[in-house]
Amino acid sequence: MRIYNTLTNRKEEFIPLTSGKVMMYACGVTVYDYCHIGHARSAIVFDVIRRYLKHKGFDVKYVRNFTDIDDKIINKAQQEGITWDAVAKKYTYEYYRDMDRLGVGRADVEPMATEYIGEMIDIVKGLIDKGYAYEVDGNVYFKVDKFSEYGKLSKRDKEEMIAGARVEVDERKKDPMDFALWKRSKEGEPSWDSPWGTGRPGWHIECTAMSIKHLGESFDIHGGGADLIFPHHENEIAQSEAFTGKPFARYWIHNGFITIDKEKMSKSLGNFFTIREVLDKFDPEVIRFFLLSTHYRSPIEFSDIQLHEAEISIDRYYTTIIRINDFPGTLMVSTSLEKGDKELREVSSNAEKTLETVLLSFRERFEDAMDDDFNTALALGHIFELIRDVNRFLDSKPYSLKAKELLSKAKGLLSEAGSVLNIFSRTPDEWYRSLMEIKKIGLSEKDISDKINQRQDARQKKDWAMADVIRKELEEKGIILEDKKDRTEWKVKVG
RNA sequence: GGCGGCGUACCCAAGUGGCUAAGGGAGAGGUCUGCAAAACCUUUAUGCAGCGGUUCAAAUCCGCUCGCCGCCUCCA
């Protein structure tokens, strides 16, 4: 398995520290507002990475934090006239509501920053003792100059950064590049006691404290959005490695951004969509599929057109599942076989061989794609190749017991691959019921079946005009009818 | 100014040295159907921003040019 490592700027063979075990940490969110789909992308990417590692047989310990104390939370509390911890609690709850719907699993440990103040103080103390940090007036700063490898993740040269002139001006710092480990609190702000007076932790120190506590001083994977590379992750490395004297995370994984009109989606630009806004118009599986249809490191342009295409793709999957489920049972198969002529059987047998070959290599192709830096886009391509092969096979009218077996195997493989990506986990009925709600189809299932019965009567009388009127009427409401041999099925129009 | 990324068909998107450049959508034609829908088949890049170079061989490596974007400040 190869993973692209931001630290080395290349794909590397993944070898965990302890064979068979993977320790991974991903930066979560600051709980001060509703999440937007950029947060969804990051959460889904690391959710899939975790699922795939488990699928490969690794024993994974996954830690994802919540930042529950920070300037933005304090500001929000003032705006809303509630306490900072009420803000954190509210948006943690909303985070779970969104992520649960998107099928993002819970991490094994989900620490809140404020539960680790003691650990953070210990690390800051240790850094001062080792000469990597200094206190000024109740604030503690990390001495960037002392850490010679500073810039190794973001590939930045300290001198050039200062020349870039966009560094914050803070008179108390000995060097403009130094960053806060501990901040003295102002009047009325949340604070904790420390050896340097009352204050609160700087942003980066929480991840150092929580990852070391739960995963050890050195661990395998650390991830987050690409915008965290600098300064957040760079600073984490500096303070962690200065403190422990050991290499911190070994593989750094960063996901790309979502763009709107080619520009990064961000809160400050105001060009963002919250997860719940999008969930209002699209099924969660559609969003997940859409986000996985591009490689995790590439930017994704967010658009309704793309989401509609994702919806159509998923519908193609469920339509194929319906066809597999409709495949005649054993009884019908044997009757067909009695009737079937020799030629038909030979055709079937060729089709069987073809499908069988495809099935035998599917898992390998899926895993090859995922092994190559979690290439979900390619993996989905393989899934749709298999879907086409299954449909082709069904079109060849393969009436045999072997055919039944092959189809059931195909269904199993699709479902297995789907479970790694956490898509395709529902029944077609569930899919259409969900679409009925999201697309606000103003009909009940009873309404639809009544119409289908009416139309069936008309068709019996060969009153095609009437039958077509009913079909059209339903279509205008977003319901498509499909006439089969012995009955009529309905589905929700997609796209 | 410094660092980094991207540019593949009408749209989205894999592919980063070597069989006929995945997959999805859209379009056109066809098979099937009372008509449809779905599905399948055929078709849509002799070419991967442009130019030049390395190589037996490049979308894939190197150089230059053009265009777009990101980071350097909170940010997934």
Side-chain angles (χ1 to χ4, degrees):
Chain A
M1 186 157 58
R2 286 150 57 80
I3 297 180
Y4 184 90
N5 190 351
T6 309
L7 204 53
T8 55
N9 270 1
R10 75 184 108 197
K11 283 185 200 171
E12 292 174 1
E13 186 61 31
F14 177 65
I15 303 160
L17 269 173
T18 307
S19 172
K21 285 196 176 181
V22 178
M23 302 296 226
M24 70 182 266
Y25 186 95
C27 286
V29 294
T30 300
V31 276
Y32 76 106
D33 206 344
Y34 296 109
C35 289
H36 58 65
I37 52 172
H39 299 112
R41 184 180 194 188
S42 194
I44 288 170
V45 162
F46 290 100
D47 184 57
V48 167
I49 289 174
R50 188 258 285 258
R51 282 173 201 271
Y52 185 63
L53 290 168
K54 286 183 96 160
H55 169 84
K56 290 284 279 189
F58 288 107
D59 177 11
V60 182
K61 184 170 182 186
Y62 176 37
V63 179
R64 186 188 53 209
N65 71 302
F66 286 104
T67 299
D68 64 343
I69 183 64
D70 132 299
D71 289 349
K72 292 191 290 284
I73 293 175
I74 294 168
N75 292 339
K76 189 84 174 188
Q78 276 165 0
Q79 274 171 35
E80 298 201 350
I82 51 178
T83 60
W84 66 271
D85 50 328
V87 170
K89 203 173 164 188
K90 176 182 172 189
Y91 291 106
T92 303
Y93 172 79
E94 301 295 353
Y95 173 90
Y96 281 129
R97 264 189 66 195
D98 290 337
M99 296 302 170
D100 286 351
R101 289 187 65 193
L102 290 173
V104 174
R106 302 291 166 107
D108 300 299
V109 187
E110 304 196 326
M112 314 285 280
T114 56
E115 291 165 0
Y116 295 82
I117 302 286
E119 285 84 350
M120 292 189 232
I121 289 173
D122 287 344
I123 293 169
V124 175
K125 265 199 283 199
L127 286 169
I128 293 174
D129 290 346
K130 292 185 175 185
Y132 281 104
Y134 56 92
E135 189 238 322
V136 181
D137 203 14
N139 298 281
V140 182
Y141 298 100
F142 184 88
K143 203 186 281 180
V144 167
D145 216 27
K146 179 99 196 243
F147 188 73
S148 61
E149 289 181 297
Y150 193 79
K152 69 177 173 181
L153 182 72
S154 55
K155 315 291 180 298
R156 249 165 257 265
D157 186 88
K158 194 173 148 281
E159 304 308 319
E160 281 166 358
M161 277 192 278
I162 292 166
R166 273 168 67 171
V167 272
E168 126 194 28
V169 183
D170 185 335
E171 296 299 313
R172 291 166 305 201
K173 291 182 187 176
K174 289 184 182 166
D175 185 309
M177 288 309 296
D178 293 350
F179 58 89
L181 295 168
W182 186 262
K183 299 161 113 169
R184 188 167 98 165
S185 52
K186 297 188 195 106
E187 191 63 29
E189 282 183 353
S191 63
W192 288 263
D193 287 331
S194 81
W196 318 284
T198 59
R200 58 192 165 91
W203 174 33
H204 320 294
I205 196 71
E206 64 177 78
C207 290
T208 292
M210 297 185 288
S211 57
I212 288 177
K213 170 105 179 191
H214 292 290
L215 300 173
E217 294 182 338
S218 294
F219 55 95
D220 300 300
I221 294 173
H222 192 130
D227 43 8
L228 297 180
I229 295 171
F230 190 89
H232 185 53
H233 289 160
E234 193 70 68
N235 291 353
E236 266 187 62
I237 291 175
Q239 64 200 190
S240 303
E241 297 191 349
F243 178 67
T244 65
K246 293 175 190 158
F248 188 48
R250 302 167 61 243
Y251 298 85
W252 287 85
I253 302 180
H254 294 97
N255 64 274
F257 304 123
I258 291 179
T259 59
I260 305 266
D261 293 329
K262 298 232 173 166
E263 274 193 329
K264 179 189 170 185
M265 179 196 286
S266 75
K267 293 212 69 152
S268 47
L269 283 169
N271 60 343
F272 63 92
F273 293 97
T274 60
I275 294 171
R276 56 195 56 196
E277 266 176 290
V278 183
L279 278 171
D280 228 37
K281 287 158 72 186
F282 295 96
D283 183 275
E285 190 172 354
V286 171
I287 300 172
R288 207 172 158 102
F289 184 98
F290 162 70
L291 293 174
L292 294 175
S293 62
T294 298
H295 185 89
Y296 77 86
R297 279 188 285 118
S298 306
I300 301 186
E301 172 73 13
F302 182 83
S303 78
D304 277 19
I305 296 165
Q306 296 304 319
L307 283 161
H308 277 119
E309 286 185 5
E311 186 176 277
I312 290 167
S313 293
I314 295 169
D315 194 61
R316 184 167 159 76
Y317 169 82
Y318 284 114
T319 300
T320 303
I321 293 302
I322 291 172
R323 292 193 76 195
I324 294 176
N325 291 344
D326 280 352
F327 189 75
T330 315
L331 190 72
M332 196 160 162
V333 167
S334 41
T335 355
S336 302
L337 267 183
E338 277 167 36
K339 289 196 295 189
D341 52 273
K342 201 169 161 239
E343 193 189 335
L344 180 73
R345 286 199 211 181
E346 273 168 13
V347 169
S348 292
S349 137
N350 275 337
E352 280 163 12
K353 273 185 201 134
T354 309
L355 182 63
E356 194 164 27
T357 312
V358 169
L359 292 177
L360 281 173
S361 65
F362 176 76
R363 188 178 279 138
E364 191 184 333
R365 280 179 296 144
F366 178 79
E367 292 193 359
D368 279 351
M370 293 297 287
D371 280 347
D372 186 11
D373 196 27
F374 311 105
N375 193 338
T376 53
L378 182 58
L380 285 171
H382 293 323
I383 286 175
F384 282 95
E385 269 172 20
L386 177 55
I387 285 174
R388 193 186 57 217
D389 286 324
V390 165
N391 279 313
R392 200 184 274 158
F393 179 67
L394 284 162
D395 279 0
S396 76
K397 307 229 189 312
Y399 294 116
S400 72
L401 290 170
K402 178 79 182 277
K404 187 93 184 153
E405 253 177 61
L406 290 174
L407 287 169
S408 138
K409 197 177 166 201
K411 197 174 151 182
L413 285 168
L414 286 169
S415 149
E416 178 188 313
S419 76
V420 171
L421 306 176
N422 204 17
I423 53 173
F424 304 155
S425 58
R426 291 176 290 179
T427 64
D429 274 357
E430 287 167 334
W431 164 245
Y432 289 117
R433 267 184 218 127
S434 168
L435 286 183
M436 291 248 294
E437 271 185 45
I438 280 156
K439 292 179 177 289
K440 302 182 175 61
I441 307 285
L443 294 168
S444 67
E445 289 180 52
K446 171 95 170 33
D447 294 337
I448 296 169
S449 60
D450 286 350
K451 288 284 177 194
I452 287 175
N453 289 336
Q454 270 180 43
R455 179 165 167 278
Q456 212 57 288
D457 289 343
R459 290 182 77 211
Q460 219 105 67
K461 293 178 206 148
K462 297 211 191 293
D463 184 354
W464 307 125
M466 184 60 180
D468 290 349
V469 164
I470 295 170
R471 181 200 291 288
K472 197 153 182 221
E473 192 187 320
L474 285 173
E475 191 180 343
E476 274 160 12
K477 290 182 173 165
I479 298 296
I480 299 286
L481 297 185
E482 286 191 18
D483 292 328
K484 306 211 174 171
K485 277 237 159 20
D486 51 340
R487 66 194 191 283
T488 298
E489 298 274 2
W490 61 270
K491 53 194 246 182
V492 178
K493 195 178 174 180
V494 293

